[in-house]
C-alpha cells in the first residue's frame, strides 16, 4: 500500500494489507506455522477442486480502532463459528475454532498499523478452498483444503457514503438455492451476479436486488433487510434460505435494548407500501453496516420510504451499533475482542 494515499478512498476491498496467513489441511487438521507471511499470490494445482467444482467459502468481519487507541475485532467468535458451519455444509475440512481465531488475530495484529481511523475500519477476509488435484471429483468432496486470511483497510461499501439506496424487488429469480442461502459460499455470489447485472442494465439507478422468492423478502446480494417504525423492528426469521447476518443478530439485540418490539417473521412484498407510509427500511451487514433504503421498485411501482433522507430510527440503530464497534459506548454484550496493535 502506498502510505501517502488514503486506502478508504479506494473501492471497498481493493487495497490489501502487507501480511496474510495461510494454513493447509492435513490428517491432523490445518497446519499453521504460527507466523504471518507477506501478502502475495497462492499456488495450487490447475486441477484443484475449487477451480472446477466451486468448493470455496469465506467470512467477512471487521477490526475497529477504538476511541482509546486500542484495536478490537467485532464478534470474532460468531464469525469463526459461521465459517465452521459453512465448511461443514461445503464438505470441506472444518478449521478448528481456536486455530482459526488465532490466525485471524495474528493477521490483524501484524497489519495493525494499517487500520484506518473510524469511520474506516479493517476488513478481515478469511477464505477456505478445496485444493485436491482431481478433476474426477465432481461428486466427491475435496480431501485437502487451503485456509487463508487477508485484510483490507476500508471505508464505505456503497459508493456515495450513507445515502438512501434504491432496491429492485426480484420475485422470480432466487439469489441461490433455498437450502444453501445460509452458507457463505462463493457460488451463492456467482449465482446472484448475472441477475443483478441484468437488472441493473434494464433499470439504471438501482443499487441492489432485493430477493423475495422464498415465501417473502429475504435479503440483497450482500446484506439483510429490515423494516421499522418508531416502535417496531421487523426482519425475516431465520431459515436456511438466507445468510444469518452477525450484524442482523446484533441489531435485533440493540433494538430490544432501545425498547423496540422486535418481530422475526416473513415480510411480504404487499406490506412494503404500508411500511413506506409510516416507517423506514434498511440493509445491514458487516460491509454495509446499516444502510438506509429510500426506494423499492416493486411490480412496476416505486415505493418511497421517507423524504429522501436516512430515517431517524435507522440512524439511531446505526449510531448505537457504530458507537459500540468504535469503543465509544459500553460493550455490554461483550462483542469486542481486543487485540494488540
Ligand atoms: C448475502 C449476505 N447477506 C447478509 C450479509 C450480512 O452478514 P453479516 O452481518 O454477518 O456481515 C452478508 C454479508 O456478508 C451477505 O453476504
Amino acid at each position: 500500500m502506498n502510505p501517502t494515499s488514503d486506502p478508504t478512498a479506494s473501492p471497498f476491498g481493493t487495497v490489501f494489507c502487507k501480511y496474510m496467513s495461510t494454513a493447509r489441511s492435513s490428517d491432523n487438521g490445518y497446519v499453521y506455522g504460527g507466523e504471518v507471511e507477506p501478502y502475495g499470490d497462492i499456488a495450487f494445482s490447475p486441477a484443484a477442486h475449487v477451480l472446477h467444482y466451486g468448493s470455496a467459502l469465506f467470512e467477512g468481519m471487521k477490526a475497529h480502532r477504538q476511541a482509546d487507541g486500542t484495536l478490537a475485532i467485532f464478534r470474532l467468535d460468531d464469525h469463526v463459528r459461521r465459517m465452521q458451519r459453512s465448511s461443514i455444509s461445503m464438505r470441506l475440512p472444518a478449521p478448528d475454532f481456536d486455530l482459526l481465531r488465532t490466525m485471524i488475530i495474528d493477521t490483524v495484529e501484524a497489519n495493525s498499523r494499517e487500520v484506518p481511523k473510524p469511520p474506516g475500519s479493517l476488513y478481515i477476509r478469511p477464505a477456505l478452498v478445496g485444493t485436491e488435484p482431481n478433476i474426477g471429483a465432481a461428486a466427491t468432496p475435496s480431501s485437502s483444503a487451503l485456509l487463508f486470511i487477508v485484510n483490507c483497510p476500508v471505508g464505505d461499501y456503497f459508493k456515495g457514503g450513507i445515502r438512501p439506496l434504491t432496491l429492485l424487488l426480484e420475485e422470480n429469480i432466487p439469489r441461490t438455492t433455498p437450502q444453501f442461502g445460509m452458507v457463505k459460499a462463493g457460488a451463492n455470489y456467482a449465482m446472484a451476479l448475472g441477475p443483478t447485472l441484468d437488472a441493473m442494465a434494464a433499470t439504471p439507478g438501482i443499487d441492489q436486488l432485493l430477493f423475495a422468492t422464498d415465501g417473502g423478502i429475504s435479503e440483497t446480494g450482500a446484506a439483510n433487510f429490515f423494516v421499522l417504525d418508531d416502535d417496531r423492528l421487523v426482519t425475516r426469521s431465520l431459515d436456511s434460505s438466507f445468510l444469518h447476518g452477525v450484524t442482523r443478530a446484533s441489531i435485533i439485540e440493540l433494538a430490544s435494548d432501545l425498547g423496540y418490539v422486535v418481530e422475526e417473521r416473513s415480510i411480504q412484498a404487499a406490506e412494503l407500501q404500508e411500511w413506506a407510509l409510516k416507517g423506514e427500511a434498511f440493509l445491514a451487514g458487516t460491509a454495509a453496516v446499516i444502510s438506509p433504503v429510500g426506494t423499492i421498485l416493486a411490480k412496476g411501482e416505486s415505493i418511497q420510504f421517507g423524504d429522501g433522507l436516512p430515517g431517524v430510527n435507522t440512524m439511531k440503530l446505526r449510531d448505537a451499533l457504530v458507537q459500540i464497534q468504535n469503543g465509544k459506548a459500553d460493550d455490554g454484550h461483550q462483542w469486542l475482542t481486543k487485540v494488540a496493535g
Side-chain angles (χ1 to χ4, degrees):
M1 191 186 81
N2 174 356
T4 59
S5 65
D6 173 9
T8 66
S10 299
F12 189 101
T14 58
V15 176
F16 296 94
C17 293
K18 208 165 161 190
Y19 298 105
M20 62 188 275
S21 56
T22 61
R24 289 191 186 257
S25 66
S26 75
D27 290 345
N28 302 314
Y30 286 86
V31 179
Y32 167 55
E35 301 263 338
V36 296
E37 49 202 272
Y39 175 86
D41 293 350
I42 46 180
F44 35 67
S45 160
H49 198 274
V50 62
L51 299 178
H52 302 269
Y53 304 121
S55 48
L57 63 97
F58 62 97
E59 258 308 317
M61 73 202 92
K62 281 177 175 170
H64 301 269
R65 185 61 68 195
Q66 304 290 285
D68 64 3
T70 59
L71 185 58
I73 302 174
F74 187 68
R75 302 201 70 166
L76 168 62
D77 294 359
D78 298 283
H79 286 281
V80 167
R81 278 191 280 268
R82 190 170 66 185
M83 187 158 191
Q84 289 184 303
R85 287 197 300 271
S86 291
S87 53
I88 291 165
S89 300
M90 296 289 288
R91 305 297 192 267
L92 284 172
D96 173 73
F97 180 85
D98 289 329
L99 177 112
L100 178 52
R101 204 175 179 278
T102 301
M103 285 175 69
I104 293 170
I105 293 174
D106 286 356
T107 317
V108 169
E109 290 183 344
N111 290 321
S112 64
R113 288 177 54 193
E114 296 186 61
V115 180
K117 289 201 188 79
S121 57
L122 189 79
Y123 186 74
I124 304 166
R125 167 55 60 88
L128 182 55
V129 296
T131 50
E132 183 183 336
N134 180 358
I135 56 173
T140 50
S142 179
S143 58
S144 59
L146 172 66
L147 170 65
F148 57 96
I149 297 156
V150 297
N151 293 160
C152 301
V154 294
D156 289 316
Y157 181 63
F158 292 113
K159 266 191 243 148
I162 307 172
R163 61 176 171 87
L165 301 170
T166 298
L167 311 181
L168 176 68
L169 196 71
E170 173 53 70
E171 293 185 277
N172 297 313
I173 303 172
R175 172 179 169 257
T176 173
T177 56
Q179 75 279 15
F180 230 68
M182 65 184 282
V183 181
K184 215 157 161 56
N188 286 347
Y189 298 81
M191 283 188 260
L193 187 59
T196 305
L197 293 182
D198 289 348
M200 284 176 167
T203 314
I206 61 169
D207 294 293
Q208 292 280 306
L209 281 192
L210 179 59
F211 292 94
T213 51
D214 296 305
I217 293 174
S218 56
E219 60 180 341
T220 65
N224 296 123
F225 179 75
F226 291 75
V227 284
L228 72 167
D229 61 19
D230 293 346
D231 311 306
R232 272 189 310 160
L233 175 84
V234 187
T235 195
R236 186 183 176 110
S237 43
L238 294 179
D239 60 41
S240 65
S241 72
F242 73 103
L243 194 76
H244 301 179
V246 173
T247 317
R248 173 191 176 280
S250 311
I251 290 166
I252 286 173
E253 291 197 56
L254 288 178
S256 297
D257 294 349
L258 291 170
Y260 291 87
V261 174
V262 178
E263 291 175 22
E264 289 182 73
R265 63 164 173 84
S266 108
I267 303 171
Q268 299 303 316
E271 288 178 60
L272 289 175
Q273 188 69 63
E274 203 186 320
W275 279 104
L277 290 174
K278 59 168 190 199
E280 306 168 22
F282 66 79
L283 299 181
T286 296
V289 193
I290 291 184
S291 297
V293 171
T295 307
I296 300 179
L297 305 174
K299 302 183 203 299
E301 260 185 281
S302 173
I303 303 173
Q304 305 283 340
F305 287 77
D307 51 8
L309 295 171
V312 285
N313 293 291
T314 299
M315 292 313 282
K316 187 164 138 188
L317 284 170
R318 185 186 159 99
D319 284 350
L321 176 67
V322 168
Q323 300 261 331
I324 292 177
Q325 290 176 332
N326 294 338
K328 289 188 176 163
D330 179 38
D331 179 25
H333 294 282
Q334 297 179 321
W335 286 336
L336 297 174
T337 300
K338 294 266 184 170
V339 298

